[in-house]
């Protein structure tokens, strides 16, 4: 019978206590190499220039396109006397509620036309940084790849894609213009193993647009499974907590709107399905 010093096993490895094992399980740094660095100062400048270039290429517009519908909730919250007899503004359910409250906040901070184009430019910069992170993660010549993608995106202009024919980026501020760039940025951060930041970016994207929540959920969990993040509880919780909070808020408001039985719910649902944005709800357009 072999005797070993206290705390050692037969292969001379120290036995860990339950507390040490739990700490090892929750510490990504002990089980995985450190995540890759994000961006240097020069690359940050490149991402900023790419966002400014995209902003100028797409242009800055106000009260155009879908804004004729999406600005109504912001106006209703900001100006109680805004066309008070208009049924569409005051009696129907505005399903992009987060965008409406963002407009209300922007209106309180400054002139809404200026603030809206400022936020629009910021979303373009976020989209540019997402593309830069992706090119840096997977391309040997990342700067060249990033420049080619930015140039192609500027030439191609707005395009509809994905669930419900939403815009990834366009020339004015609307819910998909916030959600699309944040979806790209969130996925790029997830590929760089920045789970906490990715959770907030993807969560905000889904809060502003349900279609992006659907596709973001699929892409995020495919990434989690493929990368083995499901084995790292600390990173997984860092991703899931913001998603549960932000996506849960969207689902709760949507469910309340769908199942309430007061006011002009039937008329509001008819407007949603047949007039305001039918392509978001018609399955054949997905």
């Amino acid at each position: 019978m072999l005797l070993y010093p206290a705390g050692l096993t037969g292969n001379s490895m120290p036995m860990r206590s339950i507390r040490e094992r739990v700490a090892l399980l929750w510490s990504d740094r002990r089980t995985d190499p450190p995540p890759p660095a994000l961006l240097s100062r020069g690359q940050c400048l490149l991402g900023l220039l790419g966002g400014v270039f995209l902003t100028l290429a797409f242009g800055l517009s106000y009260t155009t396109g879908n804004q004729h519908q999406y600005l109504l909730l912001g106006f209703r919250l900001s100006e109680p006397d805004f066309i008070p007899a208009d049924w569409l503004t005051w009696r129907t359910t505005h399903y992009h509620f987060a965008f409406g409250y963002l407009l209300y906040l922007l209106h309180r901070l400054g002139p809404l036309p200026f603030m809206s184009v400022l936020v629009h430019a910021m979303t373009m910069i976020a989209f540019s940084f997402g593309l830069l992170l992706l090119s840096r993660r997977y391309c040997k010549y990342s700067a060249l790849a990033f420049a080619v993608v930015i140039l192609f995106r500027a030439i191609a202009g707005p395009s509809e894609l994905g669930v419900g024919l939403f815009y990834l980026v366009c020339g004015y501020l609307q819910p998909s213009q916030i959600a699309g760039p944040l979806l790209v940025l969130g996925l790029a951060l997830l590929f760089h193993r920045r789970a906490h930041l990715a959770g907030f970016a993807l969560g905000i994207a889904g809060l502003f647009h349900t279609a992006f929540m659907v596709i973001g959920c699929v892409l995020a969990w495919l990434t989690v499974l493929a990368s083995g993040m499901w084995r790292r509880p600390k990173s997984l919780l860092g991703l899931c907590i913001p998603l549960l909070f932000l996506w849960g808020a969207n689902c709760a408001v949507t469910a309340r709107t769908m199942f309430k039985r007061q006011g002009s719910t039937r008329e509001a649902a008819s407007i949603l399905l047949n007039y305001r944005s039918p392509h978001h709800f018609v399955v054949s357009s997905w």
Side-chain angles (χ1 to χ4, degrees), residues 260-271:
K260 67 180 182 180
R261 293 290 185 270
Q262 56 184 344
S264 54
T265 304
R266 181 174 300 178
E267 291 82 358
S270 177
I271 287 293

Side-chain angles (χ1 to χ4, degrees), residues 22-43:
V22 172
L24 179 62
L25 177 65
W26 284 85
S27 178
D28 294 342
R29 291 179 295 179
R30 297 188 184 182
T31 57
D32 296 299
L38 286 178
L39 298 171
S40 64
R41 292 183 180 180
Q43 290 167 335

Side-chain angles (χ1 to χ4, degrees), residues 156-168:
S159 58
E160 295 178 339
L161 70 162
V163 179
L165 298 179
F166 55 79
Y167 284 106
L168 189 62

Side-chain angles (χ1 to χ4, degrees), residues 247-281:
W247 290 0
N250 187 358
C251 293
V253 173
T254 302
R256 179 179 179 275
T257 301
M258 291 176 62
F259 294 107
K260 67 180 182 180
R261 293 290 185 270
Q262 56 184 344
S264 54
T265 304
R266 181 174 300 178
E267 291 82 358
S270 177
I271 287 293
L272 288 177
L273 293 173
N274 300 300
Y275 174 67
R276 294 179 61 182
S277 289
H279 55 278
H280 288 311
F281 300 93

Side-chain angles (χ1 to χ4, degrees), residues 96-98 175 178-180 182-183 199-217 243 246-251 254:
H96 286 302
F97 69 95
I178 298 174
L182 288 180
L183 175 68
F200 279 105
L202 293 172
I204 295 173
L207 179 66
F208 275 87
H209 206 294
T210 305
F212 283 90
M213 181 179 68
V214 173
I215 194 171
C217 180
L243 294 183
L246 295 168
W247 290 0
N250 187 358
C251 293
T254 302

Side-chain angles (χ1 to χ4, degrees), residues 21-83:
R21 292 178 183 180
V22 172
L24 179 62
L25 177 65
W26 284 85
S27 178
D28 294 342
R29 291 179 295 179
R30 297 188 184 182
T31 57
D32 296 299
L38 286 178
L39 298 171
S40 64
R41 292 183 180 180
Q43 290 167 335
C44 289
L45 179 60
L46 182 62
L48 179 62
L49 291 176
V52 172
F53 176 75
L54 281 179
T55 302
L56 296 177
F58 278 79
L60 295 171
S61 302
Y62 182 68
T63 62
T64 185
N66 290 336
Q67 285 185 340
H68 292 143
Q69 303 164 19
Y70 296 150
L71 292 178
L72 292 179
L73 178 57
F75 288 156
R76 188 174 82 177
L77 295 171
S78 304
E79 304 176 16
D81 56 345
F82 175 73
I83 49 175

